């Protein structure tokens, strides 16, 4: 239950007061307090409880039990009051209380610049504020003549499909797999899961109060995407097992001509007015270039192409790579395999979170489902816990003394806590501490969740090798120290070709410009990460400089991009223009701003090498912005930044020529 609770449901909810009070014992203090103040409007409760909420996670709550009991009683009283009076529940809390509520909800100060974002995320009035509405009834022919081709039916492609369907815009989604889900379909490695809390890592328009874990495992997320595709009838627009080979802009017809390859190798052509890439940055596996890899002889596969036909039980498994995927795989397989040898090129930082392994109890699910507005406040609390509050910790203080190890005082404090955690988890083994502690500041690479990685390292069947791989021979990996490590299976958790964005598709824009020529092998650029000069009516979701590495949720970001794209499409359809193309000035201005912002962030730190940067050291993958900045940048499509063309213009030009 979220907001528009009908009278009967409310009456049932309060019909057994003792049972309700008992059920409320499973509620977290912060969202329950929000429910009370929202419905009751009494700010005194904020004053009483807020001092005990020390931060945004539920484990930061230090409210005494007696006060929690009072809170539960007050919530029951308020709900009973509404049930008895028959008054509808207010959709929004008293406006003047919102700032204090947001502060109390998060146990921190939420600055006013976040209020629009907060209201949007909370969507208390249930109007789905990120959905783009027509400003005037679109011309029926203009609408029916307009077709969008979306590449990819992953988390973002399905969301865009939902929004296009709602707007009545004709579209087709080309998906290379035989199912929706993208990343969450392809990655099936043992331990696959998300490290952003799920009640936030999900669509804002499809809040799920049924997650089994606070940090769900892959199949549950995949099922969520499938469910949303099904509920919204998205499958009928998807062409499965087809891949876009090329897309060429027709400068006369002002359409994209797209060549599509079926699974059987045959091809066909189609056209679309607009082309949207929803393939993301992490779609094409990066295999390591190691001498002799081909001669290994045994099974060797990438983490995103896990070969489930290979039984690793009792086997000698070698894993190359210790990033987000490796950190989830190794602890999951270590208890099963005979020996696990982990080849680490660089150590990664990983943070402990007490909720990481916790299941959402049925009692908690009941609260999420049944207490009005609770799930929404809980989502906002998680948004705050995992997002912009970290951004300052990633900024380089030019006057900071210990600059090789940390960036500023806050960052140094994080480092201290992480180091203490590593030491404790590896039983203070000095050799393991040395190997497992990164030599760059925290957040230089994605901050991982400690998936019991460190305590796995002390297992007798696990060896962490940090000497680098020299070469591979049949059944043996030889490290740079000349040590020979026998292996039956190699797992390559070596990441993706993120910098070669959109590869291997051949995208050809105006005047024959190709994406590869413009971006090269590793320098993708787009205005707001979304549009590219010379490529009219072409949009990218999760494009250049939109990867989130300070915190937040990729779903949040893609929803911002989808809103922007939908506004751009609306602009075309409503104004009767046929093509839009970002002008060079705003594009380059944005590039300069992104680069300047990155210079002050940890990813540009000289001690950090990562897939975030290209060979020239330019950060191409990450967004330098806080979520609130990116939300504001993309909130409103600005037609002045774009050049518009219509077919009539083209004809007139041809005529003149
Ligand atoms: P990754 O973060 O790029 O990690 C790749 C690992 O392989 C790194 O440890 C890298 O070492 C190592 N490596 C690469 N090439 C190598 C080589 N030739 N020899 C030895 N080692 C090599 O890739 P990933 O772990 O698949 O994660 C990619 C991204 O996917 C993440 O950043 C995240 O955005 C997403 N992801 C998220 C989750 C989650 O939410 N839990 C899970 C998986 C993935 P260096 O560090 O030295 O480069």
């Amino acid at each position: 239950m979220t907001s528009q609770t009908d009278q009967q449901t409310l009456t049932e909810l309060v019909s057994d007061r003792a049972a309700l009070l008992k059920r409320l014992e499973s509620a977290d203090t912060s969202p329950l307090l929000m429910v009370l103040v929202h419905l009751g409007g009494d700010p005194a409760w904020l004053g009483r409880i807020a001092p005990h909420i020390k931060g945004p996670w539920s484990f930061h709550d230090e409210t005494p039990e007696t006060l929690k009991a009072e809170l539960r009683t007050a919530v029951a009283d308020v709900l009973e009051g509404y049930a008895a009076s028959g008054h509808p529940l207010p959709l929004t809390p008293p406006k003047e209380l919102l700032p204090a509520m947001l502060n109390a909800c998060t146990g921190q100060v939420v600055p006013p610049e976040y209020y629009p974002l907060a209201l949007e995320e909370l969507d208390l009035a249930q109007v789905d504020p990120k959905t783009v509405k027509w400003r005037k009834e679109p011309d029926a022919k203009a609408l029916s003549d307009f077709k969008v081709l979306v590449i990819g039916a992953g988390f973002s492609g399905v969301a865009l499909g939902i929004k296009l369907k709602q707007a009545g815009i004709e579209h087709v989604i080309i998906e290379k797999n035989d199912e929706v889900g993208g990343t969450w379909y392809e990655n099936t490695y043992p331990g696959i899961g998300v490290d952003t809390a799920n009640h936030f890592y999900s669509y804002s328009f499809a809040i799920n109060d049924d997650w089994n874990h606070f940090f769900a495992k892959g199949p549950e997320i995949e099922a969520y995407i499938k469910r949303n595709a099904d509920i919204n009838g998205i499958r009928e627009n998807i062409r499965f097992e087809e891949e876009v080979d090329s897309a060429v802009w027709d400068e006369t017809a002002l359409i994209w001509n797209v060549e599509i390859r079926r699974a059987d190798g045959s091809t066909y052509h189609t056209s679309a007015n607009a082309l949207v890439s929803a393939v993301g940055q992490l779609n094409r596996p990066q295999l390591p270039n190691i001498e002799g890899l081909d001669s290994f002889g045994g099974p060797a596969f990438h983490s995103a192409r896990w070969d489930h036909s290979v039984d690793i039980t009792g086997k000698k498994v070698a894993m190359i790579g210790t990033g987000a995927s490796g950190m989830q795989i190794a602890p999951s397989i270590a208890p099963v395999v005979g020996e696990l040898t982990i080849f680490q090129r660089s150590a990664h930082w990983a943070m402990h979170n007490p909720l990481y392994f916790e299941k959402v109890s049925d009692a908690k699910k009941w609260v999420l489902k049944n207490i009005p507005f609770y799930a929404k406040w809980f989502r906002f609390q998680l948004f705050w816990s995992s997002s912009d509050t970290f951004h300052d910790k990633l900024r380089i203080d030019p006057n900071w003394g210990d600059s090789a190890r940390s960036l500023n005082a806050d960052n140094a404090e994080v480092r201290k806590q992480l180091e203490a955690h590593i030491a404790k988890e590896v039983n203070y083994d000095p050799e393991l501490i040395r190997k497992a502690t990164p030599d760059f500041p925290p957040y230089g690479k994605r901050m991982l969740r400690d998936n019991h990685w460190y305590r796995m390292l002390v297992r007798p069947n696990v060896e962490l090798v940090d000497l680098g791989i020299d070469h591979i021979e049949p059944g043996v990996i030889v490290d740079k120290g000349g040590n020979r490590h026998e292996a039956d299976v190699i797992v390559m958790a070596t990441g993706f070709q993120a910098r070669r964005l959109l590869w291997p598709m051949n995208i050809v824009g105006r005047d024959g410009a190709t994406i590869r020529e413009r971006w090269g092998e590793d320098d993708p650029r787009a205005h707001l990460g979304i549009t590219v000069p010379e490529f009219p009516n072409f949009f990218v979701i999760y494009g250049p400089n939109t990867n989130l590495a300070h915190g937040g949720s990729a779903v949040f970001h893609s929803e911002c991009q989808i809103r922007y794209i939908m506004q751009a499409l609306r602009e075309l359809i409503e104004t009767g223009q046929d093509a839009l193309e970002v002008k060079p000035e705003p594009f380059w201005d944005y590039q300069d701003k992104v680069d300047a912002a990155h210079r002050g962030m940890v990813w540009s730190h000289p001690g950090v090498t990562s897939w975030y940067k290209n060979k020239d050291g330019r950060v191409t993958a990450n967004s330098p912005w806080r979520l609130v900045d990116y939300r504001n940048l993309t909130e409103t499509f600005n037609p002045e930044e774009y050049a518009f063309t219509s077919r009539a213009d083209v004809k007139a030009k041809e005529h003149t020529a």
Side-chain angles (χ1 to χ4, degrees):
M1 186 191 299
T2 46
S3 60
Q4 281 150 359
T5 310
D6 62 45
Q7 198 58 31
Q8 192 190 341
T9 318
L10 196 57
T11 307
E12 276 166 26
L13 185 67
V14 299
S15 60
D16 183 341
R17 182 178 172 89
L20 176 61
L21 286 172
K22 184 80 197 140
R23 285 187 182 281
L24 288 176
E25 285 176 15
S26 302
D28 289 341
T29 303
S30 164
L32 195 62
L33 173 65
M34 294 304 107
V35 170
L36 177 60
V37 180
H38 176 164
L39 297 180
D42 180 0
W45 279 102
L46 295 173
R48 293 186 67 199
I49 295 186
H52 303 290
I53 299 174
K54 308 287 186 189
W57 290 99
S58 55
F59 49 80
H60 293 137
D61 172 29
E62 295 177 6
T63 309
E65 279 310 317
T66 47
L67 196 48
K68 283 189 194 170
E70 277 189 60
L71 171 65
R72 293 194 290 271
T73 304
V75 169
D77 289 345
V78 159
L79 292 173
E80 281 172 2
Y82 277 102
S85 71
H87 290 141
L89 298 181
L91 288 183
T92 52
K95 207 171 161 214
E96 69 282 4
L97 293 187
L98 192 70
M101 288 177 77
L102 293 174
N103 294 349
C105 176
T106 59
Q108 292 175 354
V109 175
V110 177
E113 62 179 326
Y114 281 89
Y115 297 167
L117 181 154
L119 287 172
E120 215 164 76
E121 272 298 302
L122 279 160
D123 187 16
L124 295 166
Q126 290 202 312
V127 293
D128 192 0
K130 281 202 200 135
T131 288
V132 176
K133 309 254 167 31
W134 297 109
R135 290 167 296 198
K136 57 177 188 181
E137 195 57 38
D139 175 72
K141 180 151 168 44
L143 184 59
S144 65
D145 282 353
F146 199 90
K147 183 175 150 194
V148 180
L149 189 141
V150 182
I151 312 168
F155 228 135
S156 302
V158 167
L160 179 60
I162 292 170
K163 297 296 167 190
L164 288 166
K165 198 161 260 254
Q166 283 170 354
I169 298 176
E170 200 191 317
H171 62 281
V172 60
I173 305 177
I174 305 297
E175 169 53 57
K176 70 176 168 16
N177 296 321
D178 60 4
E179 228 333 330
V180 302
T183 286
W184 295 106
Y185 172 80
E186 289 182 6
N187 283 267
T188 59
Y189 59 73
I192 172 85
V194 71
D195 54 16
T196 307
N198 263 105
H199 293 85
F200 168 45
Y201 182 83
S202 42
Y203 300 131
S204 65
F205 55 83
I207 290 183
N208 178 21
D209 43 36
D210 214 24
W211 291 111
N212 288 322
H213 291 86
F214 293 103
F215 295 87
K217 293 296 165 200
E220 200 180 349
I221 302 169
E222 191 193 347
Y224 171 80
I225 301 171
K226 278 186 190 165
R227 200 160 62 241
N228 277 285
D230 289 337
I231 291 169
N232 293 285
I234 298 304
R235 281 175 196 279
E236 66 195 41
N237 293 69
I238 305 177
R239 300 191 65 113
F240 289 106
E241 296 191 89
E242 294 188 0
E243 231 177 302
V244 170
D245 271 349
S246 71
V248 181
W249 179 246
D250 181 326
E251 288 171 47
T252 308
L254 303 185
I255 52 169
W256 284 98
N257 285 319
V258 186
E259 182 173 356
I260 296 171
R261 188 164 30 86
R262 302 186 184 92
D264 64 7
S266 62
T267 58
Y268 70 94
H269 287 86
T270 188
S271 63
N273 301 75
L275 181 69
V276 185
S277 164
V279 303
Q281 296 189 11
L282 304 169
N283 185 246
R284 300 286 168 174
Q286 173 77 56
L287 296 177
N289 185 11
I290 301 172
E291 188 195 323
L293 177 59
D294 288 347
S295 72
F296 174 64
F301 46 81
H302 187 268
S303 53
R305 301 283 182 271
W306 194 273
D307 185 347
H308 291 278
S309 70
V310 177
D311 183 6
I312 55 171
T313 315
K315 298 270 170 58
K316 291 178 183 156
V317 176
M319 187 181 85
I320 306 171
T322 53
S325 303
M327 183 121 340
Q328 293 186 332
I329 293 168
S332 311
I333 63 172
V336 178
V337 301
E339 288 171 24
L340 176 62
T341 312
I342 301 169
F343 292 90
Q344 171 186 282
R345 190 163 67 180
S346 24
H348 288 231
W349 291 110
M351 201 173 251
H352 167 67
N353 185 305
L355 291 178
Y356 192 64
F357 295 97
E358 224 179 89
K359 282 187 120 181
V360 187
S361 64
D362 287 345
K364 263 199 193 328
K365 283 188 195 172
W366 186 91
V367 173
L368 282 159
K369 215 179 291 233
N370 293 286
I371 299 301
F373 302 107
Y374 180 95
K376 290 184 174 252
W377 284 104
F378 183 60
R379 179 179 165 94
F380 180 74
Q381 190 193 5
L382 288 180
F383 158 79
W384 193 257
S385 73
S386 331
S387 301
D388 289 348
T389 48
F390 297 101
H391 206 264
D392 279 348
K393 298 180 174 55
L394 278 67
R395 285 184 211 268
I396 298 171
D397 173 354
N399 301 315
W400 185 245
D402 192 15
S403 62
R405 291 159 36 88
S406 54
L407 309 169
N408 55 45
D410 277 357
N411 189 269
E413 181 54 34
V414 172
R415 183 177 184 113
K416 213 167 98 189
Q417 289 168 11
L418 293 169
E419 285 182 345
H421 176 67
I422 295 172
K424 180 167 76 60
E425 290 288 294
V426 300
N427 298 337
Y428 302 95
D429 177 326
E431 184 58 1
L432 280 180
I433 292 174
R434 181 192 67 72
K435 284 182 182 172
T437 306
D439 56 7
F440 54 86
Y443 294 99
K445 300 185 190 199
R446 186 187 171 90
M447 177 62 73
L448 305 176
R449 299 269 179 214
D450 179 11
N451 187 34
H452 289 162
W453 172 264
Y454 300 111
R455 67 178 67 165
M456 169 208 65
L457 295 176
V458 300
R459 288 180 67 97
N461 69 334
V462 173
E463 185 186 3
L464 182 63
V465 179
D466 66 345
L467 293 171
I469 299 173
D470 186 74
H471 68 278
I472 296 177
E473 297 172 10
V476 179
I477 300 181
V478 184
D479 70 30
K480 289 215 161 104
N483 307 300
R484 299 171 65 79
H485 306 270
E486 286 182 10
D488 304 313
V489 179
I490 297 179
V491 172
M492 293 170 279
T494 44
F496 299 86
Q497 305 191 41
R499 288 166 293 210
R500 229 205 222 182
L501 202 66
L502 303 185
W503 181 84
M505 288 184 287
N506 181 30
I507 313 279
V508 185
R510 199 166 46 74
D511 297 327
T514 73
I515 266 298
R516 278 284 75 82
E517 282 162 11
R518 291 297 177 263
W519 289 356
E521 285 299 295
D522 67 353
D523 197 22
R525 294 167 182 268
H527 183 53
L528 304 170
I530 304 173
T531 51
V532 190
E534 299 175 281
F535 295 83
N537 292 7
F538 177 53
F539 306 91
V540 190
I541 302 177
Y542 192 3
N545 290 113
T546 63
N547 183 58
L548 281 168
H550 73 281
S553 141
V555 184
F556 174 93
H557 245 207
S558 86
E559 285 189 3
C560 290
Q561 290 146 14
I562 288 169
R563 165 164 56 189
Y564 185 89
I565 294 166
M566 290 299 295
Q567 289 180 9
L569 299 179
R570 176 177 68 179
E571 193 71 26
L572 284 173
I573 295 168
E574 282 187 355
T575 61
Q577 297 285 352
D578 295 303
L580 57 79
E581 179 185 329
V582 66
K583 294 175 184 166
E585 299 78 17
F587 168 82
W588 283 110
D589 183 50
Y590 184 73
Q591 303 310 305
D592 291 345
K593 285 187 178 132
V594 164
D595 291 348
H598 269 310
R599 280 193 279 280
M601 300 297 291
V602 65
W603 308 297
S604 300
H605 189 280
V608 176
T609 51
S610 70
W611 58 268
Y612 299 158
K613 296 191 222 186
N614 67 12
K615 61 179 176 316
D616 299 325
R618 180 176 174 268
V619 180
T620 57
N622 291 355
S623 167
W625 313 124
R626 299 173 304 166
L627 298 189
V628 68
D629 300 323
Y630 191 69
R631 180 241 168 235
N632 293 346
L633 282 164
T634 53
E635 183 192 6
T636 312
F637 173 81
N638 178 4
E640 287 178 13
E641 295 185 330
Y642 287 80
F644 288 81
T645 323
S646 69
R647 275 175 215 112
D649 295 338
V650 176
K651 273 213 178 91
K653 226 168 157 185
E654 277 173 357
H655 191 67
T656 321

